[in-house]
């Protein structure tokens, strides 16, 4: 992104001028054991949007984010980012930060922070590097084997975001940040969408500092997208605080999760009741956990 306008670039640069819109149409996905991961997911997220992806553990959030990132092959014609298939086009400018990235062993070795940041593009994007160091309150004298989990997560976030991106897919990666660091980080992300028209999809269970932050909500349950839309659709339910101590956004999400639990029932009774299986978690980073067959689910499943 030499011109700082768009990092999206596929083979031949066909997507370079396109806005980073996300389009999902009729996406279903199976895991290697044949179980259903996603069922008929469709949504449209405009460029510059900030979407909170909401759902219980195993609802399908990680599966959806991995497919959006192009790290796994989705069924043909089901996903488009800036108008192209992220898997086949090999898009640059789409950044996915999830479990595998967080557990990268290099960040626990005896290595200096500046060396790590330069290894992922810090010397090519010094202004972004310095801005992220400031926003995330990183001490450049840290050695990575001797920092806390929260400090290590700050460095990891800076590493993942130094290179300019147009679509950012975040999968529960702010859990170790303290309240101030998370607030500053979310403000910076908001600025990226407003200044550059970048697009963010953020899966999280932590709703602190998020009142007024999302432009869209997407609610997943058992591999399905139960509902989604712009925040204007939910404003009447999310615009103030209640005596419970939660924001209205928190109350809305809590209501959704309670309804999901009632609909699903106890986990150990799901298959016995002939219901769709709970979305799979990712059992192994080396083996088959979370990786699925690249074909559409049969209509009768």
């Amino acid at each position: 992104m030499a011109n700082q306008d768009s990092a999206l670039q596929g083979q031949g640069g066909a997507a370079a001028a396109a806005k980073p819109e996300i389009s999902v149409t009729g996406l279903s996905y199976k895991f290697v054991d044949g179980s259903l991961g996603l069922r008929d997911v469709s949504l449209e997220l405009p460029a510059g949007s900030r979407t909170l992806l909401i759902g219980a553990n195993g609802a399908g959030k990680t599966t959806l984010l991995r497919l959006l990132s192009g790290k796994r092959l989705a069924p043909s014609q089901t996903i488009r980012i800036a108008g192209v298939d992220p898997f086949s086009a090999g898009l640059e400018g789409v950044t996915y930060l999830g479990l595998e990235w967080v557990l990268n062993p290099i960040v626990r070795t005896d290595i200096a922070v500046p060396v790590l940041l330069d290894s992922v593009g810090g010397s090519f994007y010094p202004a972004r590097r310095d801005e992220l160091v400031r926003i995330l309150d990183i001490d450049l004298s840290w050695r990575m084997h001797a920092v806390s989990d929260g400090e290590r997560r700050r460095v990891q976030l800076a590493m993942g975001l130094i290179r300019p991106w147009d679509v950012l897919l975040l999968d529960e990666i702010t859990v170790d940040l303290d309240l101030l660091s998370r607030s500053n980080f979310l403000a910076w992300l908001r600025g990226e969408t407003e200044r550059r028209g970048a697009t963010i999809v953020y899966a999280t269970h932590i709703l602190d500092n998020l009142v007024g932050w999302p432009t869209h909500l997407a609610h997943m349950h058992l591999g399905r997208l139960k509902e989604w839309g712009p925040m204007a659709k939910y404003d009447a339910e999310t615009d103030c605080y209640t005596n419970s101590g939660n924001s209205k956004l928190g109350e809305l999400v809590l209501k959704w999760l309670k309804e999901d639990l009632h609909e699903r029932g106890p986990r150990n009774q799901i298959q016995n009741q002939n219901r769709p299986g709970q979305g799979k978690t990712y059992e192994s980073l080396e083996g088959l956990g979370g990786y699925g067959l690249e074909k559409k689910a049969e209509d009768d499943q």
Side-chain angles (χ1 to χ4, degrees), residues 110-114 133 138-147 155:
D110 184 6
I111 188 170
V113 170
V133 166
I138 294 170
D139 186 338
L140 294 177
S141 69
W142 285 342
R143 307 290 298 188
M144 292 303 293
H145 71 300
V147 297
V155 176

Side-chain angles (χ1 to χ4, degrees), residues 70-82:
K71 294 186 179 298
R72 290 284 108 187
L73 175 62
S76 177
Q77 304 299 315
T78 57
I79 296 178
R80 288 290 182 269
I81 293 182

Side-chain angles (χ1 to χ4, degrees), residues 116-139:
L116 273 181
L117 297 183
D118 284 347
S119 73
V120 291
S123 57
F124 292 98
Y125 302 99
R128 285 181 67 84
R129 176 198 62 202
D130 294 346
E131 183 179 26
L132 283 163
V133 166
R134 177 181 61 83
I135 291 296
L136 293 166
D137 194 23
I138 294 170
D139 186 338

Side-chain angles (χ1 to χ4, degrees), residues 33-267:
D33 63 2
S35 62
L36 192 63
L38 298 177
R39 180 193 294 273
D40 197 24
V41 173
S42 296
L43 77 162
E44 302 284 338
L45 301 176
S49 59
R50 300 179 299 276
T51 299
L52 285 186
L53 189 57
I54 301 298
N57 297 126
K61 303 185 299 297
T62 294
T63 301
L64 177 59
L65 291 176
R66 282 179 166 174
L67 290 166
L68 290 177
S69 72
K71 294 186 179 298
R72 290 284 108 187
L73 175 62
S76 177
Q77 304 299 315
T78 57
I79 296 178
R80 288 290 182 269
I81 293 182
V84 300
D85 184 322
F87 184 92
S88 61
L91 286 179
E92 297 179 8
V94 178
T95 293
Y96 167 68
L97 302 182
L99 180 62
E100 303 95 324
W101 169 82
V102 166
L103 296 181
N104 188 328
I106 189 68
V107 298
R108 296 182 180 273
T109 60
D110 184 6
I111 188 170
V113 170
V115 174
L116 273 181
L117 297 183
D118 284 347
S119 73
V120 291
S123 57
F124 292 98
Y125 302 99
R128 285 181 67 84
R129 176 198 62 202
D130 294 346
E131 183 179 26
L132 283 163
V133 166
R134 177 181 61 83
I135 291 296
L136 293 166
D137 194 23
I138 294 170
D139 186 338
L140 294 177
S141 69
W142 285 342
R143 307 290 298 188
M144 292 303 293
H145 71 300
V147 297
S148 70
D149 288 341
E151 291 166 341
R152 183 176 294 109
R153 187 59 56 89
R154 297 183 203 184
V155 176
Q156 289 177 300
L157 285 169
M159 291 173 63
L161 300 176
I162 281 178
R163 290 185 178 274
W165 41 270
D166 285 306
V167 175
L168 179 62
L169 308 169
L170 299 174
D171 192 2
E172 289 288 357
I173 47 76
T174 61
V175 292
D176 291 321
L177 296 183
D178 61 46
L179 190 62
L180 179 59
S181 296
R182 190 167 183 271
S183 176
N184 290 339
F185 178 59
L186 290 171
W188 181 80
L189 291 179
R190 180 172 189 153
E192 287 283 276
T193 64
E194 294 174 347
R195 290 188 300 269
R196 302 195 296 108
T199 305
I200 298 173
V201 182
Y202 178 23
T204 185
H205 298 289
I206 303 174
L207 302 178
D208 296 339
N209 305 120
L210 284 175
V211 173
W213 188 87
T215 62
H216 293 68
L217 291 181
H219 172 202
M220 295 197 68
H221 177 55
L222 295 177
R224 297 179 291 112
L225 188 65
K226 288 188 72 173
E227 61 177 297
W228 66 276
M231 283 304 299
K233 177 179 177 180
Y234 308 106
D235 276 347
E237 300 180 72
T238 61
D239 59 0
C240 65
Y241 286 80
T242 67
N243 292 332
S244 70
N246 292 326
S247 68
K248 279 291 186 178
L249 174 60
E251 288 295 312
L252 174 62
V253 171
L254 186 61
K255 171 177 172 288
W256 282 350
L257 295 179
K258 287 179 178 178
E259 291 172 350
D260 291 350
L261 178 59
H262 178 74
E263 177 184 334
R264 189 202 74 201
R267 291 183 187 269

